[in-house]
Amino acid sequence: MKKIICIAIVGLCLGFSSCTFSRIYLDLVNQTSSPVWLSYPSPIFALDTIRHEIKSGMGEKINFPVPNPQSKKVVEKLSRKIPFFCFDSPTDSVRFEGPEEVMKIFSLKGDEKDSYKFFITDSLFASKE
């Protein structure tokens, strides 16, 4: 009996450790002449703030775990889990706050399946578009 319980426990542990979430990818392309820092709260651990430095002329690929990336409303649900995106340059800052503003970050489909692309330009800091 003990052997069966041990096998069941090991099987459950292996089963749970192999669980992975599907992901949505966000490609951020910095087209400004200076580095930009992106910060946003973690969609999983709301108290953690994630921060990325995106160097001038470079890109950064960020992934977000989601239960079903093929769902039509997956970006809408993700935008409710992430309350803001903040872009900081050495001289300016712009913040996309609230679901409608965060949806703007995911408005352009990317090159790959389940990916989106966002261009960081000088005009972003002036017009938030």
Side-chain angles (χ1 to χ4, degrees):
M1 186 66 164
K2 278 185 170 180
K3 192 173 187 178
I4 293 173
I5 292 174
C6 287
I7 290 173
I9 291 173
V10 169
L12 285 172
C13 290
L14 289 174
F16 284 123
S17 68
S18 66
C19 293
T20 59
F21 283 104
S22 299
R23 301 199 178 270
I24 284 184
Y25 296 93
L26 178 61
D27 292 319
L28 297 156
V29 181
N30 184 358
Q31 296 179 336
T32 66
S33 59
S34 61
V36 173
W37 292 269
L38 167 70
S39 57
Y40 59 94
S42 168
I44 298 173
F45 304 107
L47 298 177
D48 290 342
T49 298
I50 299 170
R51 192 165 163 93
H52 297 275
E53 179 184 4
I54 307 164
K55 295 183 178 171
S56 176
M58 302 297 288
E60 180 81 21
K61 184 177 242 178
I62 302 170
N63 64 65
F64 299 95
V66 293
N68 183 9
Q70 287 78 28
S71 170
K72 291 181 179 180
K73 296 192 177 206
V74 69
V75 173
E76 187 179 313
K77 289 177 185 176
L78 187 60
S79 69
R80 281 182 278 179
K81 287 184 178 182
I82 302 172
F84 69 87
F85 278 97
C86 187
F87 295 92
D88 295 308
S89 75
T91 57
D92 291 314
S93 179
V94 66
R95 187 176 175 111
F96 291 83
E97 194 164 2
E100 292 83 22
E101 294 287 319
V102 170
M103 286 285 288
K104 291 179 182 180
I105 305 292
F106 295 98
S107 63
L108 182 62
K109 278 298 250 178
D111 301 330
E112 301 171 17
K113 181 181 176 189
D114 302 327
S115 73
Y116 296 86
K117 192 170 269 193
F118 187 78
F119 293 97
I120 303 165
T121 60
D122 291 324
S123 63
L124 170 73
F125 294 98
S127 66
K128 198 177 177 181
E129 295 294 326

